[in-house]
């Protein structure tokens, strides 16, 4: 069994003299990469045999599961655990040597420094010119129909700078990236001809971060419809039961909220979910809370009440609540005190001598 | 009717200024505005608020259930005589700001008034105890009762806050009358002054029936008026506590005779049976019995006399060594106090009902106390209701910010 599945091969770094070749850090030659890929595939088949599965249909997820099973690791950092992936994902993408034996570069834009970027820009501009020429010809012939086939841009976004860099295997600056985006948008405006070309530079954004808080729909007990949910804030835990039809009375741990929270600020926190949904006097709440301080308990109850109200309210209003921040639990916790400092951030008094 | 209607139409556009200038024109009786409001559609919002929240009925004796939730005006002259020291400080500030004293008629007060009107003066005095959460209006209900009794020409013995007598006392003298007890000259003299302002006309009528000796040189003969005792107490501060004791004893004795009717009104009565913060010179604590004022007051509050009534209020705000959420008579009075007061009629003072709350908000709006734009809207009122939960004290503090 090849033992070099998991070892990352360290190639000696050529750092001594500053010449153009040496500025490239770890050079993995094309042959080296090819060999790694062969070894990976062989190793994959061996692994499949070991696990008793079919080597032909052994996917990357199966590999991950097998490695986690064979080499269980207690390390907290996920990236430090043993991995076995295709060499293309492990070794960073390298450019092949750009010039031939006589020293002449292959690409015509090599001496710009960012050859693939400039070639891409050049191609895109060429496409724009083509489209305009085509349009002019149609107009001259009179066959130009104003079909504005706009490409659907909703649900997708342009590549971010890092993704573009990765695609071109070149470092870009911010201005370069902005130019690129402007050129792409101009291409879109001029016509809907080059769809695939443009779409290759867009990624979909359909992942909406809504829909995460799934609230349990209301339950019935004794004929009263109510819903329960919990909330936490800074070591205070609260559980709230919101009844659908009520007169706006709130009881905390069996005590009226006016007596439990004598401070106006806490009561305002309790009022916020109801006020936001315009349902001030319509619900009754009974809740239990423990831990934390006065303000933390108020925040915990507010979160619990907002989550419970979700089940009585339309989806649009749930989205509004989420945007208002009523449904996110506050991640701020007390920061730990560090040694050598007086508090979490405060340092000891600095003495010059 | 029509002339009043047209006058109102012209006046309604200058409501806020005209209201202050001649309130008499705009204050209609309770029955009239309902019909007028139906006729004047656009001026309803200006005119009916005043009628919704205020009545014309200034005599507490005539207050009935239909006046519940409405404010009635106390003439300022009355306020000065009847309440020289009785009003809670926040209410006194509000009175000064609005330049008028308006009190809301509420159910506990109405209940008490009903009982008082039907008291049989031959029976021993009945004790009524007003209790409730903090800020629900116990002291102001007491003031309402006192106003009623003053109008009915009773003699009013009003102790504004019994807690003031058991804490923060500067000088304590050993009593001349009884060596065990302590005197509080300052508090006693202040109280005597206020008592004099309230009950001027009675002081010359009542004659004391015993001879009291102040010290070797001064004494008071039998048959001289109570006024002289009070004067003596005010001028000679050292004997003020004893003067108070004499006043209380005489009043108790003589109220049974039927010449006058006596109302004993004590606010914060749980101070009489709690602990004190006062200490002797050797730092040992003083029990309330050892204070002469408290001792006499306890005798007063016992129902072994007839010809009047005793109205008491519990108060946690000024109380010493009692937890914040204690509001029931058992908790605040302690076992001793509860036993001493035992056959009493408890009357609970609760938060505002929705109607009362509405009326209170209207009252504030008429006096232009709520300046916030949203305060006039329905949502604003709902917010205020939620934040204060109908508690009058909290509502007042909230509105002070707006």
């Amino acid at each position: 069994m090849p033992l070099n599945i998991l070892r990352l091969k360290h190639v000696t770094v050529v750092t001594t003299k500053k010449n153009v070749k040496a500025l490239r850090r770890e050079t993995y030659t094309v042959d080296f990469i090819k060999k790694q890929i062969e070894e990976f595939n062989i190793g994959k088949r061996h692994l499949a045999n070991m696990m008793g599965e079919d080597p032909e249909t052994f996917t990357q997820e199966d590999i991950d599961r097998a490695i986690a099973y064979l080499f269980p690791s207690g390390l907290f950092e996920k990236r430090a655990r043993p991995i076995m992936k295709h060499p293309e994902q492990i070794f960073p993408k390298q450019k092949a040597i750009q010039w031939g034996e006589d020293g002449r570069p292959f690409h015509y834009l090599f001496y710009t420094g960012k050859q693939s970027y400039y070639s891409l820009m050049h191609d895109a501009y060429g496409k724009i010119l083509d489209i305009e020429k085509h349009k002019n010809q149609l107009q001259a012939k009179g066959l130009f129909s104003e079909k504005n086939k706009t490409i659907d841009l909703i649900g997708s976004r342009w590549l971010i700078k890092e993704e573009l860099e990765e695609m071109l295997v070149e470092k870009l600056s911010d201005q370069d990236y902005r130019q690129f985006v402007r050129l792409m948008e101009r291409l879109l405006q001029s016509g809907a001809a080059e769809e695939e070309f443009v779409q290759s530079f867009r990624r979909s954004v359909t992942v909406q971060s809504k829909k995460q808080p799934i609230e349990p729909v209301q339950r019935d007990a004794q004929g009263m419809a109510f819903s329960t949910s919990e909330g936490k804030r800074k070591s205070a835990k609260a559980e709230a039961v919101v009844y659908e039809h009520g007169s706006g009375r709130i009881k905390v741990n069996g005590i009226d909220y006016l007596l439990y929270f004598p401070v106006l600020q806490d009561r305002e926190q309790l009022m916020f979910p109801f006020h936001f949904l315009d349902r001030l006097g319509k619900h009754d709440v009974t809740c239990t809370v423990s831990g934390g301080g006065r303000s933390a308990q108020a925040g915990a109850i507010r979160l619990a009440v907002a989550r419970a109200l979700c089940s009585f309210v339309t989806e649009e209003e749930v989205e509004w609540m989420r945007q208002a921040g009523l449904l996110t639990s506050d991640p701020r916790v007390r920061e730990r005190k560090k040694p050598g400092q007086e508090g979490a951030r405060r340092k000891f008094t600095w003495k010059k001598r | 009717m029509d002339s009043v209607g047209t006058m109102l139409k012209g006046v309604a556009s200058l409501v806020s200024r005209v209201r202050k200038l001649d309130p008499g024109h705009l204050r209609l009786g309770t029955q009239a505005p309902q019909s007028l409001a139906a006729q004047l559609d656009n001026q309803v919002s200006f005119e009916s608020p005043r009628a919704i929240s205020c009545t014309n009925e200034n005599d507490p004796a005539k207050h009935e259930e239909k006046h519940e939730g409405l404010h009635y005006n106390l003439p300022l002259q009355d306020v000065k005589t009847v309440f020289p020291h009785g009003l809670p400080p926040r209410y006194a500030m509000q009175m000064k700001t609005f330049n008028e004293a308006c009190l809301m008629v509420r159910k506990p007060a109405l209940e008490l008034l009903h009982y008082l009107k039907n008291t049989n003066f031959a029976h021993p005095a009945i004790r009524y105890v007003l209790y409730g959460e903090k800020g629900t209006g116990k002291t102001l209900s007491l003031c309402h009762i006192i106003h009623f009794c003053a109008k009915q020409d009773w003699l009013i013995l009003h102790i504004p806050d019994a807690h003031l007598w058991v804490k923060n006392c500067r000088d304590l003298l050993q009593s001349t009358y009884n060596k065990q007890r302590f005197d509080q000259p300052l508090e006693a003299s202040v109280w005597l002054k206020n008592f004099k302002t309230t009950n001027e006309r009675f002081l010359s009528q009542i004659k004391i029936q015993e001879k009291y000796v102040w010290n070797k040189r001064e004494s008071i003969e039998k048959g001289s008026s109570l006024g002289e005792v009070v004067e003596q107490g005010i001028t000679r501060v050292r004997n003020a506590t004893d003067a108070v004791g004499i006043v209380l004893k005489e009043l108790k004795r003589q109220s049974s005779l039927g010449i006058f009717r006596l109302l004993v009104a004590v606010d914060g009565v749980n101070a009489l049976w709690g602990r004190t913060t006062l200490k002797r010179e050797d730092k040992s604590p003083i029990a309330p019995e050892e204070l002469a004022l408290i001792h006499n007051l306890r005798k007063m509050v016992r129902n072994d006399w007839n010809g009047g009534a005793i109205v008491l209020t519990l108060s946690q705000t000024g109380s010493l060594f009692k937890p914040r959420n204690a509001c029931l008579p058992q908790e605040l009075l302690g076992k001793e106090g509860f036993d001493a007061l035992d056959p009493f009629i408890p009357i609970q003072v609760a938060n505002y009902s929705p109607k009362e709350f509405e009326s209170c908000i209207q009252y504030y709006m008429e006096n232009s106390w709520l300046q916030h734009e949203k305060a006039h809207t329905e949502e604003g009122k709902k917010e205020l209701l939620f934040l204060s939960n109908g508690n009058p004290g909290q509502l007042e503090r909230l509105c002070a910010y707006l």
Side-chain angles (χ1 to χ4, degrees):
Chain A
M1 185 187 95
L3 293 165
N4 53 359
I5 300 172
L6 306 166
R7 261 185 294 143
L8 269 180
K9 271 235 174 119
H10 266 293
V11 174
T12 49
V13 177
V14 185
T15 45
T16 41
K17 286 173 203 158
K18 258 204 170 182
N19 42 10
V20 180
K21 275 193 210 166
L23 283 176
R24 273 181 259 128
R25 281 168 269 151
E26 298 126 5
T27 35
Y28 302 115
T29 48
V30 181
D31 307 321
F32 170 76
I33 300 276
K34 267 197 213 151
K35 217 168 82 176
Q36 292 293 314
I37 294 175
E38 280 167 20
E39 283 179 1
F40 173 76
N41 286 326
I42 298 172
K44 203 166 87 165
R45 298 185 75 91
H46 279 292
L47 192 59
N49 278 330
M50 264 197 283
M51 299 301 289
E53 307 220 8
D54 182 16
E56 302 299 324
T57 56
F58 205 55
T59 56
Q60 184 59 43
E61 288 142 11
D62 299 328
I63 300 180
D64 294 331
R65 256 187 287 130
I67 295 294
Y69 171 69
L70 291 171
F71 301 95
S73 153
L75 296 172
F76 285 123
E77 176 69 56
K78 304 275 171 140
R79 292 178 289 184
R81 295 184 183 178
I83 42 170
M84 176 172 166
K85 290 210 192 297
H86 193 87
E88 288 207 337
Q89 290 165 19
I90 297 183
F91 299 104
K93 274 204 219 168
Q94 301 277 320
K95 283 198 193 166
I97 299 192
Q98 317 266 322
W99 52 86
E101 283 177 353
D102 52 350
R104 282 191 76 222
F106 294 135
H107 203 278
Y108 69 106
L109 287 176
F110 174 76
Y111 287 110
T112 58
K114 300 179 234 184
Q115 60 182 38
S116 22
Y117 169 73
Y118 283 110
S119 74
L120 173 64
M121 299 289 272
H122 183 77
D123 291 338
Y125 193 64
K127 286 192 168 72
I128 294 176
L129 289 179
D130 284 338
I131 290 175
E132 287 195 355
K133 207 166 79 174
H134 185 63
K135 240 198 251 178
N136 289 336
Q137 282 174 352
L138 283 183
Q139 267 179 335
K141 283 188 200 166
L143 290 177
F144 181 65
S145 47
E146 295 270 350
K147 330 173 246 182
N148 286 325
K149 274 193 300 175
T150 45
I151 312 176
D152 192 20
L153 291 176
I154 302 174
S156 62
R157 55 163 179 85
W158 291 116
L159 286 179
I160 51 175
K161 185 169 160 247
E162 282 77 15
E163 287 177 355
L164 190 59
E165 281 185 359
E166 203 187 350
M167 206 159 123
L168 302 175
V169 198
E170 246 166 31
K171 281 240 173 313
L172 295 178
S173 75
D174 287 333
Q175 287 93 341
D176 296 337
Y177 176 68
R178 265 179 257 149
Q179 274 297 102
F180 167 73
V181 173
R182 267 185 240 144
L183 194 66
M184 284 289 130
E185 299 204 327
R186 200 176 142 193
L187 180 58
L188 275 180
Q189 270 171 13
S190 53
E194 305 288 335
E195 278 212 41
E196 298 122 25
F197 180 69
V198 174
Q199 289 291 10
S200 64
F201 293 107
R202 289 193 75 95
R203 296 280 174 271
S204 67
V205 189
T206 46
V207 184
Q208 283 164 351
S209 56
K210 304 181 194 181
K211 313 297 179 192
Q212 273 142 14
I214 310 167
E215 60 285 352
V217 190
Q218 49 176 315
R219 299 175 282 145
D220 279 335
Q222 287 171 354
M224 298 266 282
F226 66 91
S227 102
T228 317
S229 62
E230 296 167 345
K232 264 199 286 200
R233 166 98 209 268
K234 211 195 197 186
S235 97
K237 292 206 212 329
E239 204 209 305
V241 176
V242 176
Y243 292 91
E244 191 172 3
H245 303 287
S247 60
R249 275 175 305 213
I250 303 189
K251 283 220 144 193
V252 184
N253 284 352
I255 304 177
D256 201 35
Y257 69 107
L258 188 67
L259 300 173
Y260 195 82
F261 291 125
V263 180
L264 185 65
Q265 176 193 347
D266 302 336
R267 274 175 278 145
E268 278 180 352
Q269 290 286 300
L270 286 192
M271 191 175 76
F272 185 20
F274 295 111
H275 186 241
F276 190 73
L277 299 170
D278 267 337
R279 282 161 182 250
L280 265 175
K282 296 190 194 150
H283 295 280
D284 262 348
V285 180
T286 312
C287 47
T288 49
V289 68
S290 63
R294 161 209 100 183
S295 196
Q297 284 187 342
I301 298 179
R302 177 185 113 178
L303 182 61
V305 157
R307 284 199 188 143
L309 276 179
C310 282
S311 38
F312 296 125
V313 141
T314 58
E315 280 203 15
E316 212 184 57
E317 295 191 328
V318 170
E319 175 60 18
W320 290 343
M321 281 220 283
R322 183 194 70 91
Q323 285 182 358
L326 275 170
L327 299 177
T328 8
S329 58
D330 205 332
R332 298 180 284 179
V333 204
R334 193 169 155 269
E335 205 176 302
R336 166 215 153 162
K337 172 193 171 331
K338 284 107 191 169
Q341 291 175 0
E342 211 173 285
R345 298 282 172 102
R346 161 135 176 90
K347 324 280 187 273
F348 289 121
T349 323
W350 181 72
K351 298 249 172 59
K352 202 161 177 183
R353 19 196 91 78
Chain B
M1 198 68 159
D2 281 326
S3 61
V4 174
T6 42
M7 191 180 72
L8 277 174
K9 272 192 182 116
V11 144
S13 55
L14 310 163
V15 156
S16 51
R17 272 186 292 149
V18 172
R19 221 191 297 132
K20 291 285 179 271
L21 291 175
D22 47 350
H25 284 295
L26 295 177
R27 198 104 45 81
L28 310 166
T30 37
Q31 301 302 325
Q34 268 101 38
S35 50
L36 261 185
Q39 292 172 22
L40 319 162
D41 351 30
N42 25 1
Q43 280 105 15
V44 158
S45 55
F46 284 149
E47 267 319 302
S48 34
R50 189 91 218 200
I52 286 181
S53 79
C54 287
T55 22
N56 214 12
E57 198 57 71
N58 282 349
D59 188 4
K62 303 213 191 92
H63 283 157
E64 278 154 48
E65 277 171 21
K66 62 178 185 186
H67 295 116
E68 189 183 324
L70 302 177
H71 293 84
Y72 79 98
N73 204 346
L74 283 148
L76 285 172
Q77 201 50 43
D78 272 0
V79 169
K80 266 199 223 130
T81 42
V82 178
F83 298 118
H85 53 180
L87 295 172
R90 282 197 84 100
Y91 183 70
M93 279 196 286
Q94 182 185 311
M95 218 172 71
K96 204 166 122 187
T97 319
F98 291 164
N99 242 358
E100 62 179 3
C102 268
L103 211 52
M104 197 197 273
V105 176
R106 293 182 72 198
K107 217 188 281 193
L110 281 172
E111 205 182 313
L112 248 185
L113 283 175
H114 177 72
Y115 292 146
L116 282 177
K117 282 178 207 168
N118 300 346
T119 38
N120 184 349
F121 292 108
H123 290 175
I126 313 177
R127 291 184 277 235
Y128 307 94
V129 175
L130 288 164
Y131 71 99
E133 296 287 335
K134 183 169 147 183
T136 44
K138 306 181 280 285
T139 311
L140 279 184
S141 300
L142 193 68
C143 293
H144 189 151
I145 306 297
I146 294 176
H147 186 226
F148 162 72
C149 295
K151 275 281 168 40
Q152 301 276 312
D153 233 12
W154 291 33
L155 201 157
I156 300 182
L157 198 75
H158 178 44
I159 289 107
D161 195 356
H163 292 296
L164 295 173
W165 288 0
V166 294
K167 52 180 178 174
N168 301 342
C169 176
R170 287 294 175 77
D171 22 29
L172 279 177
L173 303 172
Q174 209 185 31
S175 168
T176 44
Y177 185 72
N178 186 340
K179 293 283 177 237
Q180 248 66 33
R181 302 205 205 124
F182 289 94
D183 267 1
Q184 283 155 306
L186 285 173
E187 278 95 16
S189 56
V190 161
W191 186 81
L192 278 172
K193 277 197 212 107
N194 291 325
F195 178 70
K196 189 170 138 193
T197 344
T198 316
N199 299 312
E200 290 268 17
R201 54 188 183 283
F202 287 106
L203 292 177
S204 39
Q205 290 169 14
I206 304 173
K207 309 278 181 240
I208 53 176
Q209 289 166 354
E210 236 186 63
K211 182 177 164 189
Y212 295 102
V213 177
W214 296 116
N215 50 24
K216 284 188 204 130
R217 272 169 273 166
E218 291 168 11
S219 63
I220 279 216
E221 298 300 323
K222 175 174 161 180
S224 48
S225 72
L226 210 58
E228 285 183 27
V229 177
V230 173
E231 283 302 327
Q232 179 79 346
I234 295 178
T235 41
R236 300 246 182 270
V237 184
R238 285 193 63 152
N239 301 334
T241 323
D242 293 328
V244 171
I246 295 170
V247 163
L248 292 181
K249 198 151 77 169
E250 287 300 319
L251 285 176
K252 194 158 138 177
R253 214 187 287 168
Q254 296 191 11
S255 67
S256 325
L257 301 174
I259 314 169
F260 55 85
R261 280 176 261 162
L262 180 61
L263 174 75
V264 178
V266 185
D267 200 343
V269 76
N270 43 336
L272 299 182
W273 285 280
R275 286 155 60 184
T276 60
T277 40
L278 307 171
K279 296 199 177 86
R280 279 175 259 246
E281 283 89 23
D282 53 354
K283 306 283 175 77
S284 58
I286 305 181
E289 296 84 43
E290 297 177 23
L291 289 168
L293 282 175
I294 306 290
H295 182 86
N296 292 328
L297 205 53
R298 279 195 200 178
K299 282 196 273 182
M300 207 58 203
V301 163
R302 265 170 39 205
N303 54 353
D304 48 1
W305 51 279
N306 53 1
I310 310 177
V311 183
L312 310 168
T313 318
L314 297 174
S315 165
Q316 197 279 328
T317 335
S319 72
L320 299 161
F321 307 105
K322 288 276 182 280
R324 192 162 56 82
N325 29 10
C327 59
L328 300 171
Q330 179 75 20
E331 299 163 348
L332 279 174
L333 288 172
K335 188 166 180 323
E336 205 190 314
F338 197 82
D339 290 334
L341 279 185
D342 202 356
F344 65 86
I345 301 182
I347 303 180
Q348 190 187 19
V349 184
N351 288 332
Y352 279 155
S353 67
K355 185 176 155 212
E356 290 175 338
F357 177 81
E358 210 27 68
S359 154
C360 190
I361 297 269
Q362 291 293 349
Y363 175 64
Y364 284 140
M365 287 216 283
E366 283 154 33
N367 288 22
S368 318
W369 188 231
L370 302 173
Q371 291 292 327
H372 200 270
E373 317 83 46
K374 284 237 193 102
H376 301 271
T377 58
E378 273 307 310
E379 297 102 33
K381 283 185 204 156
K382 274 196 220 166
E383 274 182 54
L384 283 173
L385 178 61
F386 187 97
L387 283 177
S388 63
N389 202 18
N391 189 302
Q394 282 295 325
L395 180 64
E396 199 261 316
R397 267 158 232 254
L398 264 182
C399 296
Y401 295 132
L402 296 172

